[in-house]
Amino acid sequence: MITLKRNEDLEIFQVELALKTKTKQSPFISILILAQEQELISAETLQANLLTSLPVRACENLLKRLEQQGYLQKEESNMFGYRQTYQDSFANYLLTDIGQQSATDKSFWIGEKGVYNVFVSKSNLIEQRIIRTEKVERAEDNRNTNILRTPNEIIQYENQILTINKTEVLFEDVEEKCFQLKSASGLLEIQAKENETVLKLSKENQLLFQTDIDIEENILKEELLTACGEFDYDEDKKAILTEFSNDNLSFNRKVKIGKPIFQRNQFNQVELETISHIPSDKENADLWYWELLYKNMNDYFLDENSLKEFATELASPIQLHFKMKIPKRKELSEIFSQREDAFYQIAKLETIDYLNY
């Protein structure tokens, strides 16, 4: 998993709004579903099929309320001027397009008006500017707060639907004037794990906003490595070009990036796991290979074939990038003889010669 973090400035405006929030919990949903199943609905069918304990008049009032909210419409009169109803006193209702959609989605819009603290982010990592709304009991005092025209970052969403923390919110009406409150510093965090990546914005450990990002963990890792200037990363070989060090012969290592960059944003230091490292050139490849032979020589080699098999296996990761010469026993012994700590390694190569002699 990759976790990126950075501080993010948030602007806060106090605005009078008329909102509608999409919910899956409203009792009206079952009425809309019944209307969809029956194609027509009346107070009598509503009482008979769903609300058996309510008077017919109360059922009619519920249908009128749904009509006023745009979910139902009265059936048009027939050619003789009579409504097609079970009783002359009550109308038949049809679902509107909104009603059909709500019945299919099993959802309902709940309206609310009031004064809200609106949190605005200008991060290019978030498509929408509004990330959170919090209803307040009363507006700020005019004497202590800056009054200004509501910024376009908020006005632009009037009559539009935003998804805020996985809830759809319709901004029906936005007041033209607002109060600007003191800005806040939030923590923007990106968590990528395999095929799922989540962006979170929080303030003082309170989650303000969360959304999914369309990027996989391996792609994010590649972008971070490519944008990093702290080491020499080869995009074609997908590996960091590394000078030889006998302290670390691993081909897959952890990497710390001090100032990681993602989509033109700098984040705090991050550590990446299992990043491929390869020799930077042929000279470093030879040194790396010889050190691998030295440190892994645990057995005696009684013939050339046994050494060749051992040496070829150790060379295989480097052979992907450089053509390596597999040494014979005498050649490897000469290489080791240039060291002062290779007595036992040389012995494992030359012992058979003394025994044969």
Side-chain angles (χ1 to χ4, degrees):
M1 184 172 75
I2 301 175
T3 301
L4 299 175
K5 296 181 180 181
R6 60 167 281 148
N7 293 329
E8 194 73 31
D9 291 332
L10 302 173
E11 294 183 324
I12 307 175
F13 301 91
Q14 199 165 88
V15 192
E16 188 174 341
L17 302 173
L19 302 178
K20 278 187 176 179
T21 304
K22 200 174 191 179
T23 179
K24 299 282 188 177
Q25 305 299 324
S26 173
F28 288 113
I29 296 173
S30 57
I31 299 177
L32 298 176
I33 294 173
L34 178 63
Q36 189 180 55
E37 293 172 350
Q38 300 285 335
E39 295 186 356
L40 289 175
I41 191 171
S42 67
E44 292 88 348
T45 55
L46 178 57
Q47 183 197 50
N49 291 277
L50 195 62
L51 304 177
T52 55
S53 60
L54 282 184
V56 177
R57 178 62 65 183
C59 292
E60 173 69 12
N61 290 338
L62 290 176
L63 297 177
K64 286 182 177 179
R65 182 173 175 183
L66 288 170
E67 180 191 19
Q68 292 168 356
Q69 294 180 3
Y71 292 93
L72 297 175
Q73 63 185 15
K74 287 181 181 177
E75 185 188 28
E76 294 181 2
S77 301
N78 62 22
M79 61 183 295
F80 299 105
Y82 295 105
R83 287 198 306 251
Q84 297 175 342
T85 62
Y86 292 93
Q87 296 179 8
D88 290 340
S89 55
F90 299 112
N92 280 336
Y93 293 88
L94 298 166
L95 286 173
T96 61
D97 291 341
I98 296 175
Q100 286 284 1
Q101 183 177 355
S102 293
T104 301
D105 295 344
K106 296 181 175 58
S107 62
F108 192 81
W109 292 96
I110 297 178
E112 191 174 20
K113 293 182 180 180
V115 177
Y116 293 81
N117 287 343
V118 180
F119 291 76
V120 174
S121 169
K122 295 186 178 181
S123 171
N124 67 318
L125 297 169
I126 304 173
E127 290 185 8
Q128 64 189 51
R129 301 278 73 91
I130 297 176
I131 62 166
R132 187 178 181 85
T133 59
E134 294 178 350
K135 194 172 185 180
V136 296
E137 294 299 324
R138 61 179 184 178
E140 292 289 328
D141 192 325
N142 295 7
R143 296 169 296 178
N144 302 321
T145 314
N146 294 328
I147 303 175
L148 70 160
R149 289 184 61 84
T150 302
N152 186 58
E153 285 86 358
I154 299 175
I155 288 289
Q156 66 178 326
Y157 296 114
E158 191 169 38
N159 295 317
Q160 292 192 32
I161 296 174
L162 294 182
T163 299
I164 300 178
N165 294 336
K166 298 184 178 180
T167 299
E168 291 185 60
V169 180
L170 170 63
F171 286 72
E172 280 196 307
D173 186 64
V174 179
E175 181 61 38
E176 292 183 357
K177 299 287 186 179
C178 72
F179 299 137
Q180 183 168 13
L181 306 182
K182 183 179 179 181
S183 60
S185 178
L187 176 66
L188 189 149
E189 185 174 351
I190 295 175
Q191 293 181 346
K193 185 176 182 180
E194 296 179 353
N195 298 329
E196 297 182 358
T197 302
V198 176
L199 181 148
K200 299 179 181 179
L201 251 175
S202 58
K203 181 173 73 74
E204 298 174 354
N205 296 321
Q206 177 193 12
L207 181 64
L208 299 177
F209 179 78
Q210 178 174 320
T211 189
D212 295 329
I213 296 182
D214 186 20
I215 188 171
E216 297 179 0
E217 180 182 0
N218 62 330
I219 303 300
L220 174 59
K221 181 187 294 185
E222 184 72 14
E223 288 197 18
L224 294 174
L225 291 169
T226 302
C228 181
E230 300 171 32
F231 41 71
D232 188 3
Y233 181 72
D234 190 311
E235 294 183 49
D236 295 328
K237 297 180 178 179
K238 298 188 182 305
I240 294 176
L241 304 181
T242 310
E243 292 187 0
F244 163 75
S245 170
N246 57 14
D247 294 329
N248 192 345
L249 300 177
S250 173
F251 294 100
N252 291 292
R253 310 178 189 177
K254 291 182 180 180
V255 172
K256 287 184 179 179
I257 301 179
K259 297 179 179 180
I261 303 294
F262 174 58
Q263 293 189 9
R264 305 188 306 279
N265 293 275
Q266 181 177 304
F267 289 83
N268 302 338
Q269 178 178 288
V270 67
E271 187 173 83
L272 304 179
E273 302 279 350
T274 60
I275 304 302
S276 178
H277 286 62
I278 62 173
S280 56
D281 52 32
K282 183 61 168 64
E283 181 181 353
N284 279 278
D286 287 337
L287 294 172
W288 201 321
Y289 178 46
W290 295 337
E291 192 69 19
L292 285 171
L293 291 170
Y294 169 80
K295 289 190 174 180
N296 287 277
M297 189 166 289
N298 300 317
D299 299 322
Y300 285 86
F301 296 95
L302 305 181
D303 55 47
E304 294 295 345
N305 287 335
S306 60
L307 176 63
K308 182 179 180 181
E309 182 179 348
F310 165 75
T312 300
E313 182 179 355
L314 286 180
S316 57
I318 304 177
Q319 291 274 32
L320 296 172
H321 310 286
F322 299 96
K323 186 175 181 179
M324 305 302 297
K325 180 182 180 182
I326 307 301
K328 296 183 179 300
R329 288 188 300 120
K330 183 178 180 181
E331 292 172 327
L332 188 56
S333 179
E334 291 176 353
I335 292 171
F336 285 162
S337 66
Q338 299 176 24
R339 307 175 60 129
E340 296 180 355
D341 57 353
F343 174 81
Y344 291 104
Q345 283 76 11
I346 295 173
K348 291 174 181 178
L349 293 168
E350 297 181 347
T351 296
I352 187 61
D353 294 333
Y354 290 109
L355 292 176
N356 290 335
Y357 179 79

